[in-house]
Amino acid sequence: MSRTLKIIAGAAAAFVLVSFSAQSVVASRSAPASNNERTDGLSPTWDIGKLEDVFIDIHNTGINYQLNGSRADEQWSALIPAGGGLVQLGQETFTISMYHQLKCLDIIRREYVAGSMGKPETSAAARHCLNYIRQMILCRGDRHLERVVDPEGAHAVQVRGRKTCKNWMRVYEKAHENEMQVKLGI
């Protein structure tokens, strides 16, 4: 994997871990399918109420979310709820952007590992994911300043510190509630 792709993948991972955000209300569980479509061309946003702020301490970890190994596979897989984190609203099924982004990071991670083991080609899924993560980073436009400590080093930017994020655990809770309601036919 090229140095540029490694930097992009690292930036994408940092982005996803710290910038889960909720937007305005546009859909509800009981809304008919036609109400989930926006006429203004914008994507619908799932109404789960206001997400409170939480803090996350950003740091490089040598223990969790590594590139390869069974523990890495388990940790990355656990980021996506059972059933893929799909949400049923009326007659339509959606995925939450946060889950799509996490799935993409896992696909990029797996491709990176496969590439380091000699796999010559990148899959269409990995190419899609790299482009999708790029677009999501641009979409969120995180303007937090990060100190440059060594422009040519492996850790050129110091991303350590506390950031204010939206409570992503609420997204997991609401997705689980939605899954249980669908199973129970509510």
Side-chain angles (χ1 to χ4, degrees):
M1 181 180 277
S2 72
R3 184 171 190 265
T4 303
L5 191 54
K6 287 178 189 176
I7 291 169
I8 291 170
F15 157 75
V16 169
L17 291 175
V18 300
S19 62
F20 303 119
S21 64
Q23 298 175 2
S24 63
V25 173
V26 297
S28 69
R29 169 102 179 58
S30 59
S34 61
N35 287 349
N36 292 327
E37 295 190 20
R38 306 250 331 221
T39 58
D40 57 6
L42 298 175
S43 295
T45 303
W46 190 28
D47 175 13
I48 60 171
K50 183 174 174 10
L51 296 183
E52 65 276 0
D53 289 341
V54 295
F55 296 107
I56 186 170
D57 290 318
I58 306 301
H59 61 282
N60 291 323
T61 175
I63 299 170
N64 295 311
Y65 300 99
Q66 295 298 301
L67 286 175
N68 59 7
S70 59
R71 180 180 164 111
D73 292 343
E74 289 170 12
Q75 288 180 325
W76 281 96
S77 293
L79 290 171
I80 309 302
L86 300 177
V87 173
Q88 187 74 35
L89 301 175
Q91 298 300 312
E92 292 187 77
T93 303
F94 297 90
T95 187
I96 300 168
S97 181
M98 179 178 91
Y99 294 150
H100 187 180
Q101 294 163 29
L102 289 169
K103 285 179 188 178
C104 274
L105 282 178
D106 193 30
I107 288 169
I108 293 168
R109 174 190 71 88
R110 290 174 185 271
E111 289 277 330
Y112 177 82
V113 170
S116 70
M117 294 179 177
K119 180 185 170 201
E121 300 238 355
T122 304
S123 70
R127 289 190 301 274
H128 154 79
C129 284
L130 195 56
N131 191 45
Y132 176 69
I133 294 294
R134 175 190 60 81
Q135 291 171 353
M136 292 300 97
I137 290 170
L138 292 172
C139 179
R140 301 305 193 276
D142 188 347
R143 296 165 312 284
H144 286 91
L145 298 174
E146 298 173 344
R147 186 169 311 283
V148 176
V149 292
D150 179 5
E152 302 299 322
H155 299 285
V157 178
Q158 183 180 23
V159 294
R160 291 176 171 89
R162 179 173 274 196
K163 287 190 85 162
T164 304
C165 303
K166 297 299 177 191
N167 186 352
W168 60 89
M169 291 307 296
R170 184 164 165 83
V171 178
Y172 282 96
E173 292 164 3
K174 290 297 186 179
H176 180 71
E177 286 177 21
N178 180 272
E179 183 182 355
M180 292 299 106
Q181 289 173 345
V182 169
K183 284 182 180 177
L184 295 173
I186 299 174

